[in-house]
Amino acid sequence: FIDVPALSLTARPDSHVTGWRGSDAVTYAQFTRETEGWRQLLLRRQGVRFALYLQDTIAFAAALSGAWQAGKTIYLPSDTLAETCKALALEVDGFIGEFDAALQPLQPPVPDAMDHVHASQQLDGDAPVLVVYTSGSTGAAQAIPKKLSQLSTEVATLEALFGTQAGSAEVGDGTLD
């Protein structure tokens, strides 16, 4: 999907296990369908800036990848508390995932409703794709925008430092079944 060196998602066989939801394997085919569902949903939405909060790591990765494929910038709040969301609503065009219903967050699309999976596209390394926030422990939380090229460099650094330790570790949703 993402054609920036350290963020490249290499094509895999459809049956390849990409991660886990509890004790259920999530295949590469399932993950790409979820990603494509988010891409299609977000292409139909006006605006460029969307807050994302999903605790399921596979769903989070699919939504993030789909958003980037749709040309959206993702804002990552540290929580979904009322005050955080009130401030965030002034910054973003919409919400994705586990936010209060009053914010009308977009929910995961139904992957089976898609006609096809879109061929991945090369993403602009200079595009502002992510906004993270400081903790706010010494005042108001500060937004830190990140370009795709910066994230790629950070991932490459982490891979160089910890890649051999991680080996072929799989991604899970954080639950133990």
Side-chain angles (χ1 to χ4, degrees), residues 12-171:
R12 307 262 189 224
D14 284 349
S15 62
H16 175 82
V17 174
T18 299
W20 295 89
R21 284 198 172 103
S23 60
D24 297 326
V26 177
T27 65
Y28 181 76
Q30 290 170 298
F31 180 76
T32 55
R33 280 194 305 273
E34 286 183 39
T35 298
E36 177 62 10
W38 281 112
R39 186 189 76 80
Q40 287 185 19
L41 178 66
L42 289 164
L43 281 172
R44 295 188 300 267
R45 298 292 179 182
Q46 290 186 341
V48 175
R49 303 165 305 183
F50 287 83
L52 171 60
Y53 191 90
L54 288 165
Q55 292 184 40
D56 177 322
T57 54
I58 300 290
F60 175 89
L64 182 66
S65 182
W68 288 351
Q69 289 288 320
K72 307 300 183 183
T73 299
I74 294 297
Y75 286 61
L76 295 180
S78 58
D79 58 60
T80 59
L81 298 174
E83 285 301 310
T84 301
C85 291
K86 183 179 176 183
L88 200 53
L90 301 173
E91 303 278 331
V92 299
D93 302 310
F95 292 84
I96 298 170
E98 300 162 12
F99 290 96
D100 187 276
L103 298 170
Q104 300 178 337
L106 300 176
Q107 296 303 311
V110 179
D112 296 335
M114 299 178 321
D115 294 333
H116 67 284
V117 174
H118 172 74
S120 64
Q121 64 186 43
Q122 184 171 358
L123 301 177
D124 179 4
D126 288 328
V129 294
L130 194 67
V131 176
V132 296
Y133 291 86
T134 62
S135 66
S137 60
T138 59
Q142 300 296 310
I144 303 170
K146 299 271 188 172
K147 294 179 180 180
L148 197 59
S149 58
Q150 291 171 303
L151 294 174
S152 180
T153 300
E154 291 175 22
V155 168
T157 300
L158 291 171
E159 174 67 25
L161 293 172
F162 304 109
T164 55
Q165 290 173 309
S168 60
E170 296 171 338
V171 176

